[in-house]
Amino acid sequence: MNERDREPGVFARSLFAGLPRRYDRLAEILSFGQNGRWRRAMVGHVVGGRPARILDVATGPAGVARQIAARSPAHVVGIDLSEPMLREGLANVARSAQGDRIALVLGRGEELPFPDGSFDGLTFTYLLRYVADPAATLRELARVVKPGGPVASLEFAVPTARVWRALWWLYTRGILPVAGLVTGGRAWFDVGRFLGPSISDHYRRYPVDATVAAWEKAGINEVSVQRMSLGGGIVMWGRKAP
Ligand SMILES: C[S@@+](CC[C@H](N)C(=O)[O-])C[C@H]1O[C@@H](n2cnc3c(N)ncnc32)[C@H](O)[C@@H]1O
């Protein structure tokens, strides 16, 4: 049985419990600084048009939420199922110049505690590998966005070119767990060991084209895909159908 098919959220909660304190720094180091580039690209797709209210799903330590608030006048709500991640997020928000426009909420992307159409835009980052039914989750995410509002996501990906895919495989299976252990200790070893197989498994089950189709079925139009950093990251964006 796949880890995400167990009790909803239990696996993700335990995986992320030991990561919050060093999350932002190690996410940058272990992605060779690429996570920041991918995040800026994703946020760029939701901050145009002076949105009033944006939801960031799987917000973790609120790095995406803080960036949205810094780059737009929006009030941002970040939601995540991990209490330790949200506690770190609260400390980060308190230190942020835009902290008064950011609220954090405990909850799951699969069951958002918000009415239909209550946000002008929505982001989600590294979420779909942790949910049992990505298509149903996409429908739930789209539900809370106003017609015409932008939706954007960021996820790891498997490079398509053979040479980069081989190097990516070596990095994720061999180097990442060791680098995680050295820089962050046992919890980062565990996540480093988990990530490569989790990413490969996800795209075997849900290839990018199938995910684009699931976005469209969820009522998101004009879906575009940008593979970044030789294919190691993927940003997707679209608009809730009018
Ligand atoms: C890799 S972290 C990314 C955090 C943040 N988006 C960022 O990029 O800095 C993934 C986050 O997804 C959260 N998560 C996993 N499954 C979730 C779910 N079903 N609903 C809400 N959050 C979830 C985890 O708790 C974790 O904080």
Side-chain angles (χ1 to χ4, degrees):
M1 182 165 68
N2 190 288
E3 291 291 4
R4 67 186 148 197
D5 296 335
R6 296 177 201 273
E7 181 80 6
V10 169
F11 172 71
R13 238 178 245 123
S14 70
L15 183 72
F16 288 101
L19 308 189
R21 205 163 49 83
R22 301 186 204 172
Y23 180 84
D24 282 334
R25 193 147 38 95
L26 288 190
E28 286 311 308
I29 293 171
L30 298 176
S31 71
F32 304 110
Q34 299 307 293
N35 178 60
R37 278 188 62 225
W38 304 340
R39 181 186 285 178
R40 278 191 293 282
M42 176 191 66
V43 168
H45 292 293
V46 297
V47 293
R50 299 186 66 76
R53 229 167 109 74
I54 291 190
L55 179 65
D56 179 44
V57 182
T59 198
V64 173
R66 282 178 284 141
Q67 188 173 131
I68 294 169
R71 290 175 59 182
S72 78
H75 283 79
V76 186
V77 177
I79 187 165
D80 199 288
L81 55 63
S82 163
E83 278 190 46
M85 280 293 214
L86 282 183
R87 263 198 293 279
E88 187 70 17
L90 283 174
N92 290 335
V93 166
R95 283 192 294 270
S96 150
Q98 292 81 27
D100 57 336
R101 285 192 281 115
I102 304 171
L104 300 183
V105 174
L106 185 65
R108 296 166 55 233
E110 299 94 313
E111 281 179 329
L112 295 169
F114 308 109
D116 295 359
S118 43
F119 292 93
D120 298 301
L122 181 145
T123 50
F124 61 100
T125 317
Y126 306 125
L127 170 70
L128 294 185
R129 279 179 298 109
Y130 299 104
V131 303
D133 185 345
T137 300
L138 281 164
R139 286 196 295 278
E140 175 64 357
L141 301 178
R143 179 185 69 73
V144 301
V145 180
K146 285 184 185 152
V151 177
S153 79
L154 164 59
E155 192 36 277
F156 294 116
V158 181
T160 50
R162 196 179 299 178
V163 173
W164 298 126
R165 192 164 60 244
L167 289 173
W168 174 87
W169 198 91
L170 282 177
Y171 176 66
T172 56
R173 283 8 184 231
I175 299 170
L176 189 59
V178 179
L181 181 66
V182 171
T183 53
R186 178 69 208 217
W188 282 91
F189 171 72
D190 288 344
V191 81
R193 203 174 43 166
F194 158 81
L195 265 181
S198 159
I199 297 164
S200 298
D201 173 64
H202 180 77
Y203 288 102
R204 258 193 305 275
R205 293 167 63 147
Y206 309 104
V208 172
D209 287 352
T211 303
V212 169
W215 277 53
E216 290 168 346
K217 256 188 126 174
I220 304 167
N221 291 347
E222 303 166 40
V223 181
S224 301
V225 174
Q226 183 183 14
R227 292 180 184 269
M228 298 183 73
S229 310
L230 307 171
I234 190 162
V235 173
M236 295 181 59
W237 66 97
R239 272 187 192 283
K240 170 90 177 271

